[in-house]
Amino acid sequence: MNSRILFVFFISLGLIGCSEYTKPNKSDISVFKHFLADRAIYSQKKTINITSIYQPEDELFGAVLAIQRNHWSKAIKELTPYAEKKDPDALFWLAQISYGSNPTENIKARQMMLESAQLGNPYAALMFDPNNIICQQYFSRYCDKKWVSKAKEIFAEQAKKNDVRAIFYTQKFKNKHSIYINAIINAARNNYYYPIIDYSNHILEDNNSSDKLKSIAFDLLTYARNNNFVPAIDMIIYYKERKEKIDYRNIDSNSDYYKLVMQGKNLGSNYSWNMSELIYSYDITKSDFDKYVMAKALSYFNTNDSGLSFLKPITDKKELELINKKAKEMVNSVSKVIYIDGMHPIVD
């Protein structure tokens, strides 16, 4: 893969890790095949935002979208007033993008995360799970199993209100494999696809997984892709690149790989935007002007300016104005879909 582009899986909280009861096994195959054979699961009319934790009219929508697209300074500006009012979600998201830069910010992030947990955000509570590597690295003095119990209590209350994520994690915490597998299916039926992503990733990253398990993992990812879930699209792209040795200098626009990248780009995938710009930069049919527009659009979209560094600078002011205008129009045409959530809060 070109050194300009790196793929990083979604950074998940500690409890996402593979435990014995979540370990995929061959008995899962028939269960998932039965689920995927049920054509009724494809018949519902779904909006592209149906999996999102926030809808466009929600107060935190713009801030969380900014986090997803790596515009953290904008997110901080929008989240701060809500955090000051002790909104637990705003405290959680602000803490997520605050730790790691320096000791002072780590202290601030820890305090906000603790407040968020105390005010009822289960994902903030899980940050203090002793098994969470992030807690061990940044908040080690505060890691305590009591926070896992706190998270479970919050999820149980949220599940009573039909929160699909809370229902899934309440079931998952029962530590029984059959319940966990059924919870993945029920979550998918209710438009929450991250459990499919986590399950499939366990399989595809395990060198000992059987071909049949790998096949069902890709079938599940394809199902989530067909429902426009960006992390599924990103993961399929990533594994296609590993398997097929993609030549970015000669991409067939009719290939499934190219269609995946375009689907992801239209839905606001950072990874697809990065790959789209890379493909575009190698296209000999594109002018330098158009390549500059694409590289500038990528910079506007998710702050990745690597494409610009490979192009000859343009100094003509009128030309630059036109480039900026076209780049902004390209970005503004992208669907505003949030695909990160409390258990998968950061993506690169």
Side-chain angles (χ1 to χ4, degrees):
M1 184 180 293
N2 187 292
S3 60
R4 288 166 52 190
I5 304 296
L6 296 175
F7 179 75
V8 180
F9 281 117
F10 298 82
I11 299 174
S12 306
L13 298 188
L15 291 185
I16 284 295
C18 190
S19 303
E20 187 61 33
Y21 75 94
T22 63
K23 185 177 180 179
N25 62 59
K26 64 181 181 180
S27 65
D28 304 339
I29 296 173
S30 60
V31 179
F32 283 124
K33 279 188 175 180
H34 180 73
F35 162 65
L36 294 169
D38 182 2
R39 303 307 298 177
I41 61 179
Y42 296 100
S43 65
Q44 301 176 17
K45 290 185 177 180
K46 302 175 182 179
T47 67
I48 58 174
N49 267 314
I50 200 165
T51 63
S52 176
I53 47 172
Y54 301 110
Q55 297 301 308
E57 64 272 14
D58 294 335
E59 291 177 334
L60 298 186
F61 181 89
V64 177
L65 183 66
I67 291 174
Q68 181 177 280
R69 294 185 177 180
N70 296 322
H71 292 277
W72 288 11
S73 58
K74 177 183 178 183
I76 291 170
K77 182 178 180 181
E78 293 190 20
L79 287 169
T80 298
Y82 294 105
E84 289 175 345
K85 295 177 183 177
K86 304 305 179 184
D87 180 298
D89 286 359
L91 285 164
F92 170 79
W93 288 110
L94 193 54
Q96 276 291 342
I97 57 177
S98 297
Y99 70 80
S101 56
N102 59 65
T104 300
E105 289 303 309
N106 291 345
I107 293 171
K108 291 179 181 178
R110 182 199 68 211
Q111 184 57 36
M112 287 188 289
M113 199 69 77
L114 282 170
E115 286 187 292
S116 178
Q118 292 162 347
L119 290 168
N121 186 303
Y123 309 103
L126 288 179
M127 285 292 292
F128 296 100
D129 173 15
N131 293 325
N132 186 349
I133 190 172
I134 296 174
C135 188
Q136 292 294 344
Q137 186 171 359
Y138 296 105
F139 317 129
S140 58
R141 288 178 55 196
Y142 295 83
C143 303
D144 194 310
K145 277 294 183 185
K146 72 178 183 180
W147 291 111
V148 179
S149 298
K150 174 73 170 178
K152 291 179 180 180
E153 292 173 4
I154 299 169
F155 279 132
E157 289 301 311
Q158 291 179 343
K160 294 176 183 178
K161 300 175 183 178
N162 295 319
D163 183 309
V164 64
R165 289 169 173 79
I167 291 171
F168 170 75
Y169 291 111
T170 297
Q171 294 297 305
K172 182 180 179 183
F173 288 143
K174 291 183 178 179
N175 295 2
K176 186 174 180 180
H177 187 75
S178 60
I179 294 176
Y180 167 62
I181 296 302
N182 285 326
I184 293 174
I185 291 172
N186 290 333
R189 289 188 185 279
N190 287 283
N191 310 307
Y192 184 45
Y193 306 113
Y194 261 124
I196 281 178
I197 302 301
D198 295 324
Y199 177 86
S200 298
N201 186 38
H202 292 332
I203 293 172
L204 297 175
E205 287 298 296
D206 183 355
N207 292 330
N208 296 317
S209 294
S210 68
D211 289 342
K212 288 184 178 180
L213 271 174
K214 289 179 181 179
S215 178
I216 203 68
F218 278 111
D219 287 345
L220 288 168
L221 290 174
T222 299
Y223 162 73
R225 172 211 174 168
N226 290 341
N227 283 285
N228 291 315
F229 192 53
V230 165
I233 297 169
D234 288 350
M235 192 172 286
I236 296 172
I237 291 173
Y238 172 68
Y239 282 108
K240 272 187 171 291
E241 289 169 345
R242 284 176 56 174
K243 182 180 180 180
E244 299 177 11
K245 308 295 183 184
I246 301 297
D247 180 3
Y248 304 106
R249 294 172 175 79
N250 187 28
I251 299 291
D252 182 355
S253 60
N254 292 316
S255 66
D256 189 47
Y257 175 80
Y258 184 82
K259 291 176 181 177
L260 276 163
V261 171
M262 291 302 106
Q263 181 186 6
K265 181 185 174 187
N266 291 336
L267 292 170
S269 157
N270 285 335
Y271 189 48
S272 291
W273 263 82
N274 292 341
M275 300 316 301
S276 176
E277 191 279 330
L278 179 62
I279 293 168
Y280 206 90
S281 70
Y282 282 132
D283 190 339
I284 61 174
T285 69
K286 306 299 182 185
S287 68
D288 289 344
F289 177 89
D290 288 337
K291 290 181 180 181
Y292 207 99
V293 170
M294 183 65 212
K296 191 69 174 179
L298 176 63
S299 177
Y300 283 141
F301 180 75
N302 64 10
T303 73
N304 181 355
D305 59 2
S306 62
L308 291 171
S309 64
F310 284 81
L311 295 170
K312 183 179 178 180
I314 293 178
T315 56
D316 183 271
K317 289 186 177 181
K318 288 187 177 180
E319 192 173 10
L320 279 174
E321 287 178 2
L322 182 58
I323 286 171
N324 290 335
K325 179 183 177 182
K326 287 182 175 293
K328 289 178 181 179
E329 288 174 349
M330 189 180 296
V331 171
N332 290 337
S333 69
V334 178
S335 300
K336 293 181 178 180
V337 181
I338 291 176
Y339 49 87
I340 59 175
D341 68 7
M343 198 68 81
H344 309 81
I346 304 294
V347 63
D348 215 348

